[in-house]
Amino acid sequence: MNACPCCRPTGLGRRSFLGAAALASLAAGPLATPARAATPAAGPRMAPDQALAKLMAGHARYLAGAPVPVAHGAEARAARAAGQAPFAAILGCADSRAAPELLFNTGLGELFVVRNAGNVADTGAVGSLEYAVANLGVSLIMVLGHERCGAADAAVAAARARLSLPPQLSDMLQPIIPSALAALRAGGDVLDGTIRANIARSAARLVEVSPVLSAASTAGRLRIVGARYDLDDEGVTLMS
Ligand SMILES: [Zn+2]
């Protein structure tokens, strides 16, 4: 993880920003196991259920038409420049209609957002979320899929027939294919079934592949939830 100054958590110096465990892991080289970087540098700032309640309260404000709460002025700028303390992380789709900061009526510095086409838990997403949990004290991760997802639609098409796709696009769709195949077997609304299955799959994968996230979840420091954003009524609904 680069020591990007924009990622420095509030109130922590450069050394503690990376965390002693992370520094040790970096020093140990690429063979260091993820578990060696698992020791959080800071505990969560907010209980997981509290973070979820705060997130959904923000969504209620969005639905009610509240203005975007971005503070301006020298004082607000100085506070943001000093560091970040997001209360939740979102793994969302890159779709231009599904911007988490807007949907949850949050200002700059409140959400740690990772987006890619299809909200898949790929290496970059998992590593970024590990950083949010271990170094920023984030206690809630929401995997946010959405209605009529183009990536899920492409995965359904790829599951139905061999497609000629650019290699990178083909690779990107691979994690969604099992969800598409399951939805095809189940019948009904295949696209929405794929979207829902993919949300659940990404959420499950976070703890399957990451000792950092798994340990935090087991210890009760982290909650991972799936949610679906409906483009028609703009509602974000939590999935079981
Ligand atoms: Zn999408």
Side-chain angles (χ1 to χ4, degrees):
M1 178 76 61
N2 290 331
C4 170
C6 71
C7 295
R8 195 179 68 186
T10 300
L12 296 176
R14 181 179 175 84
R15 183 177 175 81
S16 54
F17 145 61
L18 273 173
L23 283 172
S25 178
L26 288 172
L31 294 180
T33 64
R36 295 188 62 181
T39 306
R45 292 181 178 82
M46 189 178 289
D49 289 353
Q50 249 185 306
L52 181 58
K54 180 172 179 170
L55 195 64
M56 296 312 287
H59 181 56
R61 289 196 305 274
Y62 168 78
L63 291 176
V68 177
V70 176
H72 296 280
E75 194 176 332
R77 274 199 307 278
R80 284 197 292 268
Q84 62 169 329
F87 72 89
I90 308 286
L91 172 55
C93 182
D95 190 293
S96 59
R97 302 163 293 182
E101 292 90 341
L102 298 178
L103 293 177
F104 296 105
N105 194 236
T106 50
L108 297 173
E110 291 197 89
L111 292 182
F112 188 94
V113 177
V114 180
R115 296 175 71 179
N116 56 41
N119 43 272
V120 296
D122 60 14
T123 302
V126 173
S128 299
L129 293 169
E130 285 181 336
Y131 172 73
V133 170
N135 289 76
L136 301 179
V138 164
S139 62
L140 175 74
I141 296 173
M142 175 182 280
V143 178
L144 180 63
H146 67 96
E147 188 181 24
R148 300 188 198 106
C149 178
D153 197 30
V156 171
R160 280 184 162 134
R162 180 175 290 275
L163 298 180
S164 178
L165 297 170
Q168 301 295 338
L169 180 56
S170 179
D171 288 351
M172 188 201 75
L173 292 179
Q174 289 308 311
I176 313 176
I177 299 286
S179 299
L181 290 170
L184 283 166
R185 284 193 298 271
D189 187 336
V190 173
L191 176 55
D192 205 54
T194 300
I195 290 164
R196 292 173 185 272
N198 184 50
I199 293 167
R201 184 180 169 84
S202 289
R205 184 171 162 76
L206 292 179
V207 290
E208 285 168 9
V209 304
S210 168
V212 175
L213 302 181
S214 175
S217 178
T218 301
R221 297 193 308 269
L222 172 68
R223 183 172 172 187
I224 300 173
V225 298
R228 175 183 173 278
Y229 171 49
D230 189 300
L231 294 170
D232 294 320
D233 64 16
E234 295 198 300
V236 171
T237 305
L238 294 176
M239 292 172 55
S240 58

